Amino acid sequence: MQKIKSLMARQGLKSPQESMADLSPVENLRIPSKEELRELREQPIDPQAEQEIIDSIEEVYFSNDSFDMVQHELEKLPPELNLQELEEYRDKLKRQQAAVSKKVADLILEKQPAYVKELERVTALQTNLQLAAVICTNARRQLSVAKEGFTEASLGLLANQRRRQLLTGLLKSLRTIKTLQRTDVRLSEMLEEEDYPGAIQLCLECQKAASTFKHYSCISELNSKLQDTLEQIEEQLDVALSKTCKHFDVSHYTKVQLAYTLLGKTQTAMDQLHMHFTQAIHNTVFQVVLGYVELCAGNADTKFQKMQYKDLCTHITPDSYIPCLTDLCKALWEVMLSYHHTMQWHEEHDKQETTPTPEDAAVAESDELAVDRSYVKKKLEHGLTRIWQDVQLKVKAYILGTDMSNFKYDDFIVVLDVISRLMQVGEEFCGSKSEVLQESIKRQSVNYFKNYHRARLEELRMFLENETWELCPVKSNFNIAQLHEFKFMGQCRSPSVSPSRQAASLSSSAQEELSLFQQYQREGNPFEMHMEHKEEETEDVLASNGYESDELEKSVYQDYDSDSDVPEELKQDYVDEQTGDAPLKSVPRETMRTKKKSDYNLNKTNAPILTNTTLNVIRLVGKYMQMMNILKPIAFDVIHCVSQLFDYYLYAVYTFFGRNDMYESSGLGLISSRLRTTLNRIQESLIDMEAVGENAGVHGPAEDRKEKVPSPHLSQLVVLTNSGTLYGLAQRVVATESLVFLAEQFESLQSHLDTMMPAAKKPFLQQFYSQTVSTASELRKPIYWIVAAKAIDYEQMLLMMAGVKWDIREIMSQHNVYVDVLLKEFEQFNKRLGEVSRHVRIPLPVSNVLWEHCIRLANRTLVEGYANVKKCSNEGRALMQLDFQQFLMKLEKLTDLRPIPDKEFVETYIKAYYLTENDMEQFIKNHREYSMKQLANLVNVCLGSHINKKARQKLLAAIDDIDRPKR
């Protein structure tokens, strides 16, 4: 079909018949005539058969126009020609040609209407083109006429008008450019006035205007200049931002923030601000420490300038340590206060922006502004912890840069006060527990306290060895709250606040509810009080003599009568150890028996009995507690050391006055198992026994011995062998009762110590009080027993009893002489007690213990005397009862001690003389308080004449078989 179309194109507008006649000889070997075509059309041919004939045509006939069909067919002829085959082949080709011709004819006839229609369209197009050519010819002719109709002058006027308009616009632009180039002077003036928002606003407007005229070559230079100016403004703005780190000014900071907002760099400003705060902290602490180091060095050596801050801190001298620390904290406070003000400014600013007004209530906040605000808030909150961490690290380097182990106690307490206040600032600043500061001050405190406590123990040993155990005369209403060392317990605020500033007024109490940042928001500094000179408070706790008047007490102690600065646990007065009663002076005199012989303190006020060493220990406890109150992390170490002070004092009193080998043989159970356990524990854990031994330094590691203290020795000035002084009774009373008083003070402090103690360590404190403090009064028995054992001549009484004849046959009405001698001894003892009481008040519990010991020893001596009797009649036993009743009657007039100790011990023994054999056996089993000798005497003397030898042997065997624990 392509061949047919191309052929038709070459033939132009010819008819199909003409076109068919013009086919090339190659393609048209023979064109069928009209008749043949008609015949072909008329000849019925099966379309399918016709299509098969066409399909049988070789492919090569459809290849291209240059195909030579004749040559192709000739080449196909076989070498030997066969006419019949050739004719058959020719017929086949004819049939193929006829089929093709018919197909072509059918197609031509089928497309003829379309061909005719298209030919008409071509003819119409040709007509239109001719009309367009005429129109163009006319237009060219008319344009020539118009060109000739206008003059060049008219067009020149138009050109000049256009040029005038351009020049007017150019003049306006030049004037604007001139104004732009003069803005640098105004910008400089605004920067000098610190009007950063105005300068930035002007600069941005200039840049915007310059961008309008960027097509001028001079504007490129102006743009560069404006950009440099803007960068210069940003640099000055950064400097202005850094100034707010030390001294915050609301108006100044508002200008800076507005300027950064105009620049669209709110987040960048916040990043820069935190960097400046960090730099301010570093520069501040470095300059403060450097100033003190150079001042102490006294020369102009610049080597300190190049040192690292950590190394610089090691050059601080002990004298300048506290002033430098105070100035350091002051400077850091200013930085933190500025940051606090910064956060307040942003909080108030956010509230103002987020509060809708009638005009802009419907205007939604832009997403960018919300993002900036959220970023600033998070950055400020995160910066709190970061800045406080920087502060802690700087102060930590300063704290650890100096060895404070040799500081004076007061100086070290000031250091703790300052750090405590700084930690309080940190807690209010960001809620931090200041772990870094706590750890560093704990390290220094443990190191300092270890050395300090060791020195104080050695000092206590020296005091004890030089102590003459004379009474230290204090006021009758003496209370440890009156000592400077315990003033901190009465303060409501931090211990770093001077007591003179503790005004009990509504204004001050209201102020105390405010945080430090609220108190010192406008002026002042929480660390300034350390530089103030604290007023020296008089500590009038000593009495001028032993007999003070109530009026004098009242006038001197009227300040102390106020309960405002005394904790509850310190308000209680001296409490009697055994009875638990209040002081005697608080009891109406009418209720007291003025004739009481066993109370030797009626001629003196009930002032506490204590020594200078006791007072020193109490002061030490106050200092330890003050340190513990400030630095809670080492509370357990401090309390442990406090317990060692009490342990050592108790052990010294026991060693000096209570140690005696006769305890066990007495059978009186003078030392309880709890007291013995306590003494053994103290000796093992605290007393260096090798220090005084022959092999000192040979046994035990040096580390263990370093924690121990040598056992103290009683001063040679203290004489305990003089019978005229009741074997040093005054010294014994002062020593023992001072220990009891010390224990009472510890009891009053227990609740305070318990609050300071870590929960895991509270069992130690409870054990200390239950096992050690509560045993102080138990030392009375062994210490006063020595006096009781020597004050009365019990041996003489035994000898006199041995000379009495007990196998009498008549009842006597007169008691024996040994009773009078014994009573005379007791009267002499009573007289000596009275003499001692003129020098030292003997409390009722002490006199009771003394009388109890003496009476118990006397009664046991009586029983021992009765047990030595070889022969005794019933009348003799009645005489024993008479002697004992006489002794009791006279004794009850000498003492108010009721009941008489061991009264039943003697009476039961005397009555045992009347027992039968069976009753005696039961008596032996039930009364193990008597010795084997005493029981054997009952069997031999009383029952010997009534029972046979076998029965007596049985009873004696029962005595031997019974293991009798000592009472």
Side-chain angles (χ1 to χ4, degrees):
M1 292 303 293
Q2 289 178 355
K3 293 178 182 179
I4 294 172
K5 289 179 182 180
S6 62
L7 179 62
M8 290 176 68
R10 286 197 297 270
Q11 296 302 320
L13 301 174
K14 294 181 180 182
S15 64
Q17 292 78 5
E18 294 171 339
S19 297
M20 293 296 295
D22 292 338
L23 289 175
S24 64
V26 176
E27 297 176 342
N28 189 15
L29 295 177
R30 189 177 66 88
I31 300 299
S33 62
K34 292 182 179 180
E35 292 77 8
E36 291 176 342
L37 289 173
R38 190 180 299 113
E39 291 176 0
L40 289 172
R41 289 193 301 270
E42 294 175 357
Q43 191 176 15
I45 299 177
D46 185 8
Q48 184 175 359
E50 183 181 348
Q51 186 63 37
E52 290 178 356
I53 293 173
I54 294 174
D55 292 340
S56 66
I57 299 174
E58 296 181 21
E59 290 290 335
V60 70
Y61 282 96
F62 300 98
S63 60
N64 50 43
D65 295 343
S66 62
F67 174 66
D68 190 353
M69 294 179 289
V70 175
Q71 183 66 28
H72 175 68
E73 292 297 333
L74 291 176
E75 289 177 353
K76 286 175 60 178
L77 291 176
E80 295 181 2
L81 301 175
N82 189 334
L83 181 61
Q84 187 178 355
E85 290 179 354
L86 288 173
E87 286 179 352
E88 291 176 356
Y89 186 69
R90 183 193 64 182
D91 294 340
K92 178 183 179 181
L93 290 175
K94 283 182 178 181
R95 285 194 300 276
Q96 290 178 346
Q97 183 184 18
V100 169
S101 299
K102 185 178 183 299
K103 186 72 173 178
V104 170
D106 291 342
L107 289 173
I108 290 173
L109 291 175
E110 182 181 349
K111 300 295 181 180
Q112 186 175 10
Y115 171 75
V116 173
K117 185 176 180 180
E118 187 66 26
L119 187 61
E120 290 175 354
R121 290 178 60 192
V122 170
T123 304
L125 178 62
Q126 184 178 6
T127 303
N128 290 334
L129 289 174
Q130 290 174 351
L131 178 61
V134 173
I135 292 172
C136 288
T137 302
N138 293 334
R140 286 176 180 174
R141 184 173 61 255
Q142 290 174 1
L143 283 174
S144 298
V145 174
K147 183 178 180 181
E148 293 173 359
F150 289 98
T151 63
E152 293 181 0
S154 298
L155 294 175
L157 287 174
L158 293 174
N160 289 337
Q161 178 63 23
R162 181 171 177 272
R163 187 181 302 169
R164 179 182 177 183
Q165 291 177 349
L166 291 173
L167 289 175
T168 303
L170 177 62
L171 181 62
K172 185 178 180 181
S173 299
L174 290 176
R175 287 173 179 170
T176 304
I177 293 172
K178 182 179 180 181
T179 304
L180 290 175
Q181 289 181 334
R182 290 180 178 177
T183 55
D184 57 343
V185 178
R186 178 57 186 154
L187 284 173
S188 300
E189 293 176 355
M190 297 177 80
L191 289 178
E192 289 178 2
E193 297 170 359
E194 295 186 349
D195 184 10
Y196 304 109
I200 291 174
Q201 186 71 36
L202 179 59
C203 193
L204 291 176
E205 289 176 359
C206 289
Q207 280 188 327
K208 184 178 180 181
S211 65
T212 307
F213 306 105
K214 62 183 178 181
H215 49 280
Y216 296 109
S217 58
C218 62
I219 289 298
S220 61
E221 182 181 349
L222 179 61
N223 259 330
S224 176
K225 186 177 180 181
L226 286 173
Q227 187 62 35
D228 292 342
T229 304
L230 193 60
E231 291 176 359
Q232 180 184 356
I233 293 174
E234 287 189 29
E235 290 176 1
Q236 292 194 23
L237 196 58
D238 192 53
V239 173
L241 184 65
S242 66
K243 292 179 180 179
T244 63
C245 295
K246 292 185 179 180
H247 302 288
F248 184 86
D249 181 77
V250 176
S251 60
H252 178 78
Y253 188 74
T254 304
K255 289 180 182 179
V256 172
Q257 281 297 321
L258 181 58
Y260 273 110
T261 304
L262 290 173
L263 288 174
K265 295 185 177 182
T266 306
Q267 297 184 12
T268 305
M270 195 49 56
D271 295 337
Q272 288 293 108
L273 181 64
H274 282 82
M275 184 187 71
H276 287 314
F277 268 107
T278 303
Q279 191 66 28
I281 291 173
H282 175 75
N283 293 341
T284 299
V285 297
F286 186 84
Q287 290 301 323
V288 170
V289 175
L290 178 64
Y292 275 93
V293 170
E294 290 180 342
L295 181 64
C296 297
N299 53 31
D301 194 352
T302 58
K303 67 176 183 179
F304 298 118
Q305 296 274 359
K306 301 176 182 178
M307 280 189 177
Q308 294 291 328
Y309 170 73
K310 190 174 182 180
D311 298 330
L312 196 64
C313 291
T314 61
H315 289 78
I316 291 290
T317 61
D319 293 337
S320 61
Y321 187 87
I322 293 178
C324 182
L325 175 63
T326 307
D327 287 347
L328 197 66
C329 292
K330 283 183 180 180
L332 290 172
W333 161 260
E334 294 295 338
V335 176
M336 288 187 286
L337 183 63
S338 295
Y339 194 87
H340 181 74
H341 286 321
T342 303
M343 289 197 67
Q344 281 187 328
W345 186 92
H346 282 280
E347 289 175 1
E348 294 173 0
H349 189 65
D350 289 346
K351 289 179 181 178
Q352 292 175 0
E353 288 189 351
T354 54
T355 303
T357 58
E359 292 78 11
D360 61 354
V363 180
E365 187 179 32
S366 68
D367 293 340
E368 185 178 355
L369 184 59
V371 170
D372 285 346
R373 186 176 300 162
S374 175
Y375 179 84
V376 169
K377 184 178 181 181
K378 291 180 180 178
K379 190 74 175 178
L380 286 171
E381 291 174 352
H382 176 70
L384 283 171
T385 307
R386 177 183 169 187
I387 287 176
W388 178 240
Q389 189 70 11
D390 288 343
V391 170
Q392 287 191 90
L393 292 175
K394 296 300 181 184
V395 178
K396 174 186 177 182
Y398 182 83
I399 292 174
L400 299 180
T402 302
D403 182 12
M404 291 188 279
S405 59
N406 295 319
F407 272 34
K408 295 179 181 178
Y409 173 81
D410 291 338
D411 291 342
F412 190 73
I413 286 296
V414 171
V415 173
L416 293 184
D417 279 352
V418 175
I419 300 302
S420 175
R421 177 53 62 95
L422 184 62
M423 287 191 287
Q424 183 183 352
V425 170
E427 186 170 0
E428 294 182 5
F429 185 67
C430 63
S432 170
K433 297 301 181 183
S434 306
E435 290 83 1
V436 175
L437 277 181
Q438 287 194 19
E439 181 60 30
S440 57
I441 200 65
K442 181 180 179 181
R443 283 171 55 185
Q444 284 284 30
S445 298
V446 170
N447 182 37
Y448 172 83
F449 194 73
K450 190 179 296 183
N451 293 333
Y452 181 79
H453 178 62
R454 177 69 187 176
R456 297 294 77 76
L457 279 178
E458 289 292 340
E459 186 181 89
L460 178 58
R461 181 170 73 94
M462 181 187 70
F463 281 152
L464 288 170
E465 291 183 346
N466 291 278
E467 179 63 65
T468 58
W469 302 102
E470 296 292 336
L471 185 65
C472 178
V474 294
K475 300 287 187 179
S476 61
N477 60 352
F478 169 75
N479 193 293
I480 61 173
Q482 299 161 7
L483 300 176
H484 290 319
E485 288 77 7
F486 290 91
K487 286 297 180 184
F488 74 95
M489 296 180 66
Q491 297 174 4
C492 300
R493 300 199 302 189
S494 171
S496 58
V497 181
S498 171
S500 62
R501 299 172 67 92
Q502 303 293 328
S505 62
L506 293 176
S507 59
S508 65
S509 61
Q511 186 180 7
E512 289 171 8
E513 296 175 359
L514 300 176
S515 68
L516 293 176
F517 287 96
Q518 292 172 327
Q519 292 181 40
Y520 302 100
Q521 185 171 9
R522 299 299 177 190
E523 59 180 358
N525 193 298
F527 300 97
E528 286 178 352
M529 59 195 64
H530 295 288
M531 302 304 294
E532 298 173 358
H533 176 69
K534 293 184 178 180
E535 297 179 4
E536 291 296 329
E537 300 177 10
T538 58
E539 192 180 74
D540 188 11
V541 296
L542 301 179
S544 57
N545 52 52
Y547 307 93
E548 52 181 331
S549 66
D550 292 339
E551 290 75 19
L552 180 62
E553 285 180 42
K554 185 174 181 181
S555 63
V556 173
Y557 280 91
Q558 58 184 355
D559 294 335
Y560 291 123
D561 289 338
S562 173
D563 290 340
S564 61
D565 61 347
V566 181
E568 280 299 325
E569 61 264 29
L570 298 182
K571 289 180 182 177
Q572 58 188 15
D573 225 327
Y574 175 83
V575 179
D576 187 272
E577 180 65 27
Q578 290 193 351
T579 64
D581 295 333
L584 294 178
K585 69 169 187 176
S586 63
V587 181
R589 293 296 179 113
E590 292 75 9
T591 63
M592 299 172 57
R593 296 189 58 182
T594 57
K595 298 297 184 179
K596 186 181 289 186
K597 299 297 183 180
S598 58
D599 190 0
Y600 298 89
N601 57 11
L602 295 184
N603 59 341
K604 301 175 74 66
T605 57
N606 289 335
I609 298 177
L610 66 157
T611 65
N612 289 327
T613 304
T614 316
L615 207 55
N616 182 62
V617 172
I618 293 175
R619 291 184 187 276
L620 275 181
V621 172
K623 290 180 178 180
Y624 283 22
M625 290 181 63
Q626 189 174 355
M627 187 180 299
M628 175 181 60
N629 191 55
I630 298 173
L631 198 66
K632 293 179 177 59
I634 66 166
F636 173 70
D637 301 300
V638 176
I639 291 179
H640 179 67
C641 293
V642 168
S643 70
Q644 287 186 342
L645 293 176
F646 186 85
D647 287 347
Y648 196 69
Y649 193 90
L650 182 145
Y651 186 82
V653 172
Y654 165 75
T655 305
F656 293 167
F657 304 103
R659 179 175 287 173
N660 194 292
D661 297 333
M662 298 173 62
Y663 291 152
E664 299 300 331
S665 62
S666 69
L668 299 176
L670 297 172
I671 296 185
S672 65
S673 59
R674 184 176 63 165
L675 178 58
R676 187 176 301 281
T677 302
T678 298
L679 292 171
N680 291 336
R681 176 189 61 78
I682 297 173
Q683 182 169 308
E684 291 174 4
S685 63
L686 187 60
I687 307 302
D688 184 8
M689 302 302 295
E690 300 174 5
V692 294
E694 295 180 0
N695 298 326
V698 176
H699 304 286
E703 292 78 7
D704 293 343
R705 292 189 58 195
K706 187 177 180 181
E707 302 297 329
K708 296 183 177 182
V709 188
S711 180
H713 301 286
L714 184 62
S715 171
Q716 295 180 355
L717 299 176
V718 180
V719 180
L720 302 179
T721 57
N722 187 355
S723 61
T725 61
L726 277 180
Y727 304 95
L729 178 61
Q731 288 81 3
R732 293 176 189 271
V733 170
V734 171
T736 310
E737 299 313 306
S738 67
L739 174 64
V740 173
F741 176 77
L742 186 62
E744 290 170 355
Q745 306 315 306
F746 269 80
E747 292 284 357
S748 68
L749 296 172
Q750 182 177 3
S751 60
H752 187 82
L753 293 176
D754 189 67
T755 58
M756 295 294 165
M757 196 68 152
K761 301 293 184 179
K762 286 189 177 183
F764 168 82
L765 186 66
Q766 295 170 357
Q767 184 177 10
F768 168 67
Y769 272 92
S770 62
Q771 299 295 328
T772 305
V773 177
S774 61
T775 61
S777 60
E778 296 181 11
L779 273 180
R780 285 170 170 163
K781 283 189 175 182
I783 290 176
Y784 297 136
W785 181 86
I786 298 176
V787 176
K790 295 180 179 181
I792 295 176
D793 192 353
Y794 303 103
E795 293 296 329
Q796 179 189 3
M797 187 173 67
L798 281 176
L799 292 174
M800 294 183 69
M801 290 178 71
V804 176
K805 188 177 181 181
W806 301 102
D807 55 347
I808 56 177
R809 295 303 176 184
E810 58 182 12
I811 296 177
M812 304 294 292
S813 60
Q814 181 64 31
H815 59 272
N816 286 305
V817 179
Y818 74 88
V819 176
D820 295 329
V821 174
L822 181 59
L823 288 171
K824 189 174 182 180
E825 289 274 349
F826 272 101
E827 290 174 358
Q828 186 66 24
F829 172 71
N830 192 26
K831 181 180 178 182
R832 290 179 182 176
L833 278 181
E835 293 174 355
V836 172
S837 68
R838 284 198 288 270
H839 299 90
V840 176
R841 178 175 66 87
I842 300 179
L844 179 60
V846 176
S847 64
N848 287 343
V849 169
L850 283 168
W851 278 101
E852 180 184 356
H853 281 332
C854 289
I855 296 172
R856 282 165 63 101
L857 285 170
N859 286 336
R860 289 175 181 271
T861 304
L862 288 173
V863 172
E864 188 65 22
Y866 297 151
N868 291 333
V869 175
K870 302 299 183 184
K871 293 181 180 181
C872 181
S873 61
N874 290 335
E875 291 78 8
R877 288 190 287 274
L879 181 59
M880 288 181 185
Q881 288 183 329
L882 177 63
D883 291 345
F884 187 61
Q885 291 302 323
Q886 178 68 19
F887 172 69
L888 290 179
M889 183 180 66
K890 297 290 185 182
L891 184 63
E892 287 176 352
K893 295 180 180 180
L894 293 175
T895 178
D896 288 327
L897 188 62
R898 300 291 185 276
I900 298 298
D902 282 352
K903 176 182 176 183
E904 294 80 6
F905 183 77
V906 181
E907 291 177 343
T908 303
Y909 190 81
I910 295 175
K911 292 176 181 178
Y913 277 81
Y914 300 98
L915 297 177
T916 62
E917 177 184 348
N918 294 333
D919 293 337
M920 180 61 71
E921 185 175 357
Q922 190 65 34
F923 179 87
I924 292 172
K925 293 180 180 179
N926 295 337
H927 293 275
R928 300 186 179 186
E929 66 270 19
Y930 298 107
S931 66
M932 294 178 62
K933 173 188 172 184
Q934 293 166 352
L935 293 174
N937 180 267
L938 289 176
V939 174
N940 293 325
V941 176
C942 301
L943 298 177
S945 58
H946 302 95
I947 60 176
N948 56 32
K949 183 177 180 181
K950 184 178 180 181
R952 183 167 64 251
Q953 291 296 332
K954 179 183 177 182
L955 291 174
L956 292 176
I959 294 173
D960 292 336
D961 292 342
I962 295 175
D963 181 21
R964 297 173 178 81
K966 300 301 179 182
R967 184 178 172 189

